[in-house]
Amino acid sequence: MGRRGKKKGRPISGWLVFDKPIGMGSTEAVSKIKWLFQAEKAGHAGTLDPLASGMLPIALGEATKTVPYVQDGAKVYRFTVAWGEERSTDDLEGPVTKTSEKRPSETEILALLPKYTGVIMQTPPQFSAIKIAGERAYDLAREGETVDIPAREIEIGRLELIETTPEGNSVFEIECGKGTYVRSLARDMGRDLECFGHIATLRRTEVDPFTAEDLVTLEQLEAAVPQAREGEEVVLSYAAIDAYIVDTGAALECLPQVAITDDAAAKIRLGNPVIIRGRDAPVEAEEACATARGKLVAIGAIEAGMFKPKRVFAG
């Protein structure tokens, strides 16, 4: 007998803006969403620690081609720093490594915030996915090694003190660029304030271009999964769960948009360049989106009034 082909799943494409619960890893979340949608392919745009909750954009099918654009988008986090203790992981997971009886005043905290706004240098945590000599830093840290992780440039657009909790912890909100470690921020602020600190709670509320209105919980998805009655052959309807999918093109709002005809779309999908018509069409662009009937056709360059496809999407 010939070998049976492995079931591929559904060729569904788009973004699922998942509200990841605490305790679930990002890779686990992708596997769960892929299974719920019975999707052929899935991937996420930006890791979220298991102890963190909130927005984890998950790309399905053709949307995986747009992951880099979402990864580069600005992110917003709300987080709580517990003062008085520094921990090996810079969050609640690791053991306490340093302690202090000092607690910072609101005045001291507010005076420090400008230091952490704008383009700054930041050293990632020992427990991070940064590769050191080909190995993940967190693997080396778990083996008891202290590794020298070089500082790197990040950008923080906004950092605000929101409130002080009854326990004396500080709640902040930050808007930052790619590669920012909020755990490192808590560690570094604690050292500057000479009281030490670590992340007690962390929630990602936005990943550009998505907003909190796009968030979908695991409970919502599980309630929408199609069910087949036992002993009956039923064609499952995925309409309820598919309604949560955001169009693939939503990830590319940062790029110039060019509307094309169906004939031009057919040519582009074969890898051919087409002439861009219309008085509002850009003459030059390193990257732009071509759409037909509002649906994404390709990402490409515009040179001398010609759209030249670089990455094509299925119709």
Side-chain angles (χ1 to χ4, degrees):
M1 292 178 62
R3 293 180 61 186
R4 291 186 179 181
K6 186 178 179 181
K7 185 179 178 182
K8 288 184 177 181
R10 298 193 301 140
I12 184 171
S13 294
W15 283 92
L16 189 282
V17 187
F18 186 47
D19 191 346
K20 188 191 80 66
I22 293 173
M24 178 181 283
S26 295
T27 302
E28 180 187 356
V30 171
S31 297
K32 183 71 174 179
I33 297 306
K34 185 179 179 183
W35 179 81
L36 287 171
F37 282 88
Q38 293 295 293
E40 284 183 336
K41 185 165 52 174
H44 67 74
T47 301
L48 202 54
D49 291 339
L51 290 183
S53 68
M55 188 175 291
L56 180 67
I58 296 177
L60 301 176
E62 291 284 277
T64 56
K65 298 176 182 178
T66 66
V67 163
Y69 298 91
V70 177
Q71 285 180 326
D72 288 343
K75 300 168 179 65
V76 177
Y77 297 87
R78 183 162 288 212
F79 62 100
T80 303
V81 178
W83 305 113
E85 292 181 346
E86 186 169 302
R87 294 176 176 244
S88 63
T89 56
D90 301 316
D91 60 17
L92 290 172
E93 191 173 25
V96 176
T97 56
K98 298 175 183 176
T99 61
S100 172
E101 295 297 322
K102 180 184 175 183
R103 297 295 180 270
S105 66
E106 181 176 316
T107 301
E108 289 175 312
I109 294 170
L110 292 174
L112 180 65
L113 297 187
K115 177 181 177 180
Y116 291 98
T117 306
V119 177
I120 66 171
M121 299 300 293
Q122 184 186 71
T123 302
Q126 289 287 307
F127 284 82
S128 64
I130 300 294
K131 282 194 174 182
I132 306 295
E135 294 191 63
R136 298 290 185 186
Y138 54 64
D139 289 330
L140 298 172
R142 289 187 185 117
E143 293 171 3
E145 291 188 43
T146 299
V147 295
D148 183 19
I149 303 178
R152 57 186 186 173
E153 191 176 271
I154 62 165
E155 185 170 4
I156 296 176
R158 174 173 59 88
L159 177 59
E160 298 176 353
L161 176 63
I162 303 300
E163 63 175 319
T164 301
T165 70
E167 299 78 22
N169 299 334
S170 298
V171 180
F172 298 90
E173 187 167 275
I174 184 175
E175 182 177 347
C176 55
K178 180 181 179 181
T180 302
Y181 280 92
V182 181
R183 286 182 289 139
S184 291
L185 190 63
R187 175 200 67 205
D188 294 342
M189 288 196 296
R191 290 176 181 178
D192 281 343
L193 293 166
E194 299 180 339
C195 64
F196 303 121
H198 64 274
I199 292 290
T201 68
L202 175 62
R203 179 170 176 79
R204 187 156 66 193
T205 58
E206 290 184 34
V207 178
D208 191 49
F210 306 115
T211 68
E213 294 179 357
D214 299 313
L215 282 171
V216 183
T217 66
L218 182 59
E219 291 75 19
Q220 287 175 299
L221 294 171
E222 289 179 333
V225 171
Q227 302 290 331
R229 294 178 182 176
E230 189 174 348
E232 295 182 9
E233 287 193 15
V234 179
V235 177
L236 299 180
S237 171
Y238 285 85
I241 194 168
D242 287 354
Y244 290 114
I245 295 294
V246 177
D247 188 75
T248 298
L252 303 173
E253 292 177 356
C254 56
L255 300 181
Q257 308 288 312
V258 179
I260 58 174
T261 65
D262 290 345
D263 287 343
K267 292 177 182 178
I268 286 174
R269 287 196 171 104
L270 292 174
N272 299 314
V274 297
I275 297 173
I276 300 301
R277 304 187 186 280
R279 64 180 185 180
D280 296 327
V283 177
E284 301 284 339
E286 290 185 7
E287 279 193 310
C289 292
T291 62
R293 299 176 184 267
K295 291 293 184 180
L296 181 63
V297 175
I299 300 171
I302 299 176
E303 299 174 3
M306 296 279 290
F307 182 89
K308 299 181 178 180
K310 295 179 180 178
R311 182 157 284 186
V312 176
F313 296 80

